[in-house]
Amino acid sequence: QQDHRDPFQRDRARILHSAAFRRLQSKTQVMGSGHSDFYRTRLTHSLETAQIGSGITAQLRHKYPELCQMLFPTTDSLIEAICLAHDIGHPPFGHGGEVALNYMMRDHGGFEGNGQTLRIVARLEPFSEHHGMNLSRRTLLGLLKYPQVLAQLNNPIRKSAINSFRQIKASEWHPPKGLYSDECKVIDWLLSPLSASDRKLFQHIVVIENRHSKTRFKSVDCSIMELADDIAYGIHDLEDAIVTGIVSQNDFELHVINKLKLLDDQWLKQQTSTLTAKLFSNEHHLQKDAIGDLVNYLITAIELTDLNKLHDEVNFEEKLLRYNATLPKVIMQALQIFKDFVFNFVIKKTSIQRLEYRGQQIVMELFEALSSDPLKLLPSNSAKRWQHAIESNENAHRVIADYVAGMTDEYASRLHQTLFVAQTTSTYQLN
């Protein structure tokens, strides 16, 4: 009764105080979370994404005061809550862990980080008995980056199971981006206020031959979160790579500056002459200056787009679906150049790929071991959930995936050592 916060301020508080959010401090962002106190983790990435999300909302309120009055609450808590929670479903070891869990769950509904995020906030976090964090419908809608279940999106041509975990090829077991069939009741409740035509359009799938299908639409709140996430990844994660010496000045000049020069943008043309020198300078304030300028350049360019006017076949009634935050084409191309550089010269780096492969092995072996005798090897809470799933004829494998996905990189490594390394003298506690 004495709580004078709006629903989104409560949502943000519940996310911040959740165990799933705290665990992000020990989960890989780009580089291994235990390798240095300096590197960004999933936690600092989520905080930066929330900060950028607030910046985007401030810009949009300035550009479209009347429209934003209709679209957004008076505080920034909604966008911050969505940005803070957007990565909490990611398993240990980044996308390596995601691929490993998707392989282990291949006959039990699959695994995907965004689908796990919805499951955590709507079902698993113990803020309520049956509804997880019990977040508002709009916050959940903002977390729905891909509003369709994996079974509808999977590539119909499936690879054969491998003979040995050592032989896994990550590229063959990436999941589609989507939700779990296990969460159909949550999805139905979440989308129930939409008209039948809006729901059908919102969940529309684009079929791609010989690949996973994709969803096409997201809410306006989700579009802001996604842009904030992309900017944090493309610009702030690049800063990590430069400061730690993972990328070279020459590669940056060749694969970023030379490509930016080809774009028809006056501000970029002015910046390209000094950007490399600033970013690779030993004067940290010059680096911060350059990073800040880039982030500001991207945030201030964001617009609100009316999808009904943009596409003839789109006719959303719900305003939260009708409008999306977007970047103009040339500026989106600039952001893509930065994202591609981080992907090709950091994530695809052999040393990072080897760590990812090691993480995959750990996750698959843990899953296999825990599945062999869940009542004996799972901690008591998870064992009870597993038993309940068996008795209720539900997907018990999902309980094991929940437990493994919730682990930090370090916890997973230590549990793996406890189970499989003969001479470990660990004082490791399972609960």
Side-chain angles (χ1 to χ4, degrees):
Q1 285 182 329
Q2 299 303 313
D3 190 344
H4 300 294
R5 299 173 297 175
D6 69 26
F8 310 118
Q9 288 171 316
R10 280 197 295 277
D11 287 354
R12 182 182 61 183
R14 287 176 183 181
I15 291 160
L16 276 169
H17 292 295
S18 68
F21 183 73
R22 285 196 303 279
R23 286 191 198 104
L24 295 177
Q25 67 189 305
S26 296
K27 290 197 180 188
T28 297
Q29 173 58 12
V30 172
M31 292 165 261
S33 62
H35 290 228
S36 161
D37 290 340
F38 175 81
Y39 297 152
R40 285 172 166 85
T41 63
R42 290 258 178 209
L43 182 73
T44 56
H45 165 77
S46 298
L47 293 170
E48 284 172 339
T49 301
Q51 176 59 37
I52 294 168
S54 293
I56 293 171
T57 316
Q59 282 296 322
L60 293 176
R61 281 201 181 103
H62 178 72
K63 282 185 184 176
Y64 310 92
E66 289 178 13
L67 184 55
C68 286
Q69 207 168 1
M70 179 180 73
L71 284 176
F72 299 115
T74 50
T75 68
D76 285 344
S77 304
L78 167 68
I79 299 299
E80 285 178 3
I82 293 165
C83 290
L84 288 169
H86 82 280
D87 260 357
I88 61 174
H90 278 270
F93 309 111
H95 290 292
E98 184 178 56
V99 166
L101 280 172
N102 186 50
Y103 176 75
M104 299 308 286
M105 290 291 289
R106 65 195 179 280
D107 296 323
H108 310 286
F111 181 91
E112 200 272 332
N114 298 284
Q116 190 69 13
T117 292
L118 179 67
R119 184 167 168 81
I120 287 169
V121 298
R123 293 274 294 274
L124 300 182
E125 274 291 321
F127 281 80
S128 66
E129 190 178 355
H130 300 297
H131 304 110
M133 294 187 197
N134 207 13
L135 304 179
S136 61
R137 215 184 225 118
R138 181 160 175 182
T139 300
L140 291 175
L141 184 68
L143 285 167
L144 225 58
K145 282 175 81 170
Y146 311 102
Q148 191 53 272
V149 294
L150 298 181
Q152 299 285 335
L153 299 162
N154 266 316
N155 182 350
I157 304 166
R158 198 175 93 160
K159 300 290 179 186
S160 303
I162 51 179
N163 295 323
S164 159
F165 292 159
R166 300 284 191 265
Q167 298 299 313
I168 192 166
K169 283 190 174 64
S171 59
E172 294 179 355
W173 291 99
H174 278 294
K177 304 282 190 188
L179 309 169
Y180 304 146
S181 300
D182 300 307
E183 310 315 321
C184 278
K185 284 183 182 174
V186 174
I187 298 163
D188 286 342
W189 172 81
L190 180 49
L191 301 183
S192 61
L194 298 177
S195 66
S197 62
D198 268 12
R199 176 167 179 172
K200 186 179 178 185
L201 183 58
F202 184 52
Q203 293 191 288
H204 176 71
I205 289 170
V206 179
V207 177
I208 305 164
E209 196 175 352
N210 297 328
R211 286 173 61 194
H212 294 313
S213 301
K214 290 182 176 180
T215 58
R216 187 178 170 194
F217 298 108
K218 50 185 66 69
S219 71
V220 64
D221 304 326
C222 186
S223 69
I224 292 171
M225 174 267 281
E226 193 161 46
L227 280 172
D229 188 22
D230 283 351
I231 292 169
Y233 167 79
I235 308 301
H236 288 302
D237 290 354
L238 170 67
E239 183 187 2
D240 265 8
I242 290 170
V243 172
T244 53
I246 279 193
V247 296
S248 74
Q249 196 164 326
N250 187 53
D251 283 339
F252 183 78
E253 193 73 28
L254 205 60
H255 296 277
V256 176
I257 298 298
N258 287 356
K259 290 180 180 178
L260 292 176
K261 283 177 180 174
L262 299 175
L263 298 179
D264 184 19
D265 184 279
Q266 204 53 47
W267 186 85
L268 279 176
K269 281 182 167 44
Q270 290 170 350
Q271 293 300 307
T272 48
S273 59
T274 58
L275 188 57
T276 306
K278 280 185 172 180
L279 285 175
F280 287 85
S281 167
N282 290 325
E283 301 282 338
H284 289 308
H285 68 93
L286 292 176
Q287 280 180 335
K288 285 294 180 191
D289 192 37
I291 292 291
D293 283 348
L294 282 170
V295 171
N296 187 60
Y297 159 74
L298 293 164
I299 288 176
T300 52
I302 291 172
E303 304 167 339
L304 277 175
T305 299
D306 184 339
L307 301 181
N308 289 3
K309 290 179 180 173
L310 192 64
H311 306 288
D312 291 340
E313 75 282 10
V314 175
N315 188 25
F316 281 120
E317 299 163 36
E318 172 55 62
K319 62 184 182 295
L320 295 180
L321 304 183
R322 177 176 174 174
Y323 294 96
N324 268 193
T326 58
L327 273 172
K329 186 180 176 185
V330 171
I331 301 177
M332 192 68 195
Q333 288 171 335
L335 177 55
Q336 193 62 49
I337 288 167
F338 285 104
K339 285 172 62 184
D340 288 346
F341 184 72
V342 171
F343 182 76
N344 291 320
F345 287 87
V346 182
I347 291 173
K348 285 296 176 192
K349 200 174 177 72
T350 304
S351 57
I352 304 285
Q353 287 297 302
R354 285 176 176 171
L355 284 174
E356 198 169 280
Y357 176 82
R358 174 180 166 272
Q360 279 172 0
Q361 299 301 310
I362 289 171
V363 167
M364 288 188 289
E365 288 179 5
L366 283 178
F367 193 103
E368 183 183 48
L370 295 166
S371 304
S372 70
D373 195 345
L375 288 178
K376 189 165 84 172
L377 296 175
L378 286 174
S380 56
N381 266 354
S382 294
K384 280 177 195 163
R385 286 184 52 235
W386 185 85
Q387 186 69 47
H388 180 265
I390 292 290
E391 290 167 0
S392 311
N393 205 23
E394 292 174 1
N395 186 359
H397 288 84
R398 183 66 64 199
V399 176
I400 299 169
D402 290 339
Y403 177 53
V404 177
M407 295 178 183
T408 62
D409 297 14
E410 186 188 356
Y411 184 99
S413 297
R414 282 190 293 145
L415 178 54
H416 185 269
Q417 197 175 32
T418 300
L419 292 174
F420 297 112
V421 178
Q423 296 192 336
T424 181
T425 53
S426 170
T427 56
Y428 181 77
Q429 297 295 313
L430 273 176
N431 284 311

